Amino acid sequence: MFYSFIRVIVRIIVYIINGKPRFEHTERLPKGNYILVGPHRTWFDPIYYALAGSPKKFSFMAKIELFKNPILRWILNHANAFPVDRKNPGPSAIKTPVRLLKNSNLSLIMFPSGTRHSQDLKGGVAVIAKLSKVPIVPTVYQGPLTFKQLFSRQKITVSFGEPFSVDPKMKLNADGFKVIETKMQAGFDQLDHDIDPNFHYVDPKAKSKA
């Protein structure tokens, strides 16, 4: 109930601030649960991913530090977020999303890089997808990268790639992770090119230090 309510409020707010975003290839989204993966380019791209995937509802990984504030913790819990300790993830970082994907109507939004300022793909997506037996959907966001840029009404596009699954027989060793990472990266690259052949992501944090 809260998730549906807050999604409506957020949709109105972002439309007022930046206008109507463009959501491409929503027909590619599976009917059941799935893992939506994308490069983490700004703190608000998960909001746009969730709006683009509507009416499907999603769960989210959020850094454990955010749950220390009681008000923010209440909001995150009711928005289907669950805490993950990035320094010491522990078994729950895998068990919690697998349980949600298998036993609820919630799909998962996950950023393989872990943070907005890392381009290294991690193996967690492959493990969760294999254990939960749900497909992976590559996704990209192109648009403003800072809160200030949002008000420039620069066009925002979210595009969905073709879903793919992890072979149940695949060994999740270094070679197996490399196969999945390559598929995800190829999906990101193709989507970025299709939206804008000249697109090149520049981390605003790195740019500000230059």
Side-chain angles (χ1 to χ4, degrees):
M1 186 69 174
F2 178 83
Y3 183 100
S4 299
F5 170 75
I6 200 67
R7 182 169 58 190
V8 172
I9 299 301
V10 169
R11 189 188 301 273
I12 293 172
I13 292 172
V14 299
Y15 280 24
I16 291 173
I17 292 174
N18 186 267
K20 186 177 181 180
R22 180 178 177 83
F23 301 145
E24 298 183 344
H25 303 300
T26 55
E27 76 281 355
R28 292 174 175 170
L29 294 175
K31 298 298 183 184
N33 284 345
Y34 52 88
I35 303 173
L36 205 59
V37 297
H40 204 359
R41 292 171 174 165
T42 176
W43 64 266
F44 45 79
D45 51 14
I47 294 174
Y48 279 94
Y49 283 4
L51 292 177
S54 179
K56 186 64 178 178
K57 296 181 180 180
F58 296 90
S59 60
F60 308 81
M61 287 185 174
K63 60 182 181 180
I64 196 168
E65 292 83 359
L66 296 176
F67 287 80
K68 293 180 179 180
N69 181 296
I71 297 176
L72 190 55
R73 181 173 63 244
W74 187 90
I75 294 173
L76 289 170
N77 286 334
H78 285 77
N80 305 324
F82 55 92
V84 173
D85 187 337
R86 290 177 179 173
K87 295 181 180 179
N88 301 289
S92 63
I94 298 296
K95 290 181 178 180
T96 299
V98 169
R99 175 177 54 80
L100 290 170
L101 287 165
K102 293 177 72 172
N103 301 323
S104 76
N105 66 343
L106 298 175
S107 285
L108 173 68
I109 292 177
M110 190 171 176
F111 297 96
S113 61
T115 71
R116 300 197 306 278
H117 310 298
S118 170
Q119 300 306 307
D120 298 324
L121 298 177
K122 308 299 181 183
V125 174
V127 176
I128 294 170
K130 182 178 181 180
L131 293 177
S132 60
K133 300 178 181 179
V134 301
I136 297 169
V137 182
T139 312
V140 297
Y141 163 99
Q142 285 190 23
L145 299 177
T146 66
F147 186 69
K148 182 179 179 180
Q149 290 175 356
L150 266 180
F151 290 87
S152 69
R153 300 187 77 81
Q154 176 186 344
K155 183 176 72 172
I156 289 176
T157 301
V158 174
S159 186
F160 299 107
E162 293 289 350
F164 67 91
S165 298
V166 177
D167 188 336
K169 298 179 181 179
M170 176 181 284
K171 293 183 179 180
L172 294 183
N173 51 22
D175 291 337
F177 288 143
K178 188 64 177 178
V179 170
I180 302 304
E181 289 175 7
T182 299
K183 285 186 177 182
M184 287 192 291
Q185 189 61 58
F188 302 156
D189 292 343
Q190 185 62 57
L191 290 170
D192 276 329
H193 181 272
D194 290 346
I195 296 171
D196 179 3
N198 299 313
F199 174 79
H200 176 66
Y201 171 68
V202 178
D203 184 342
K205 184 176 180 179
K207 187 176 180 181
S208 65
K209 291 181 178 179

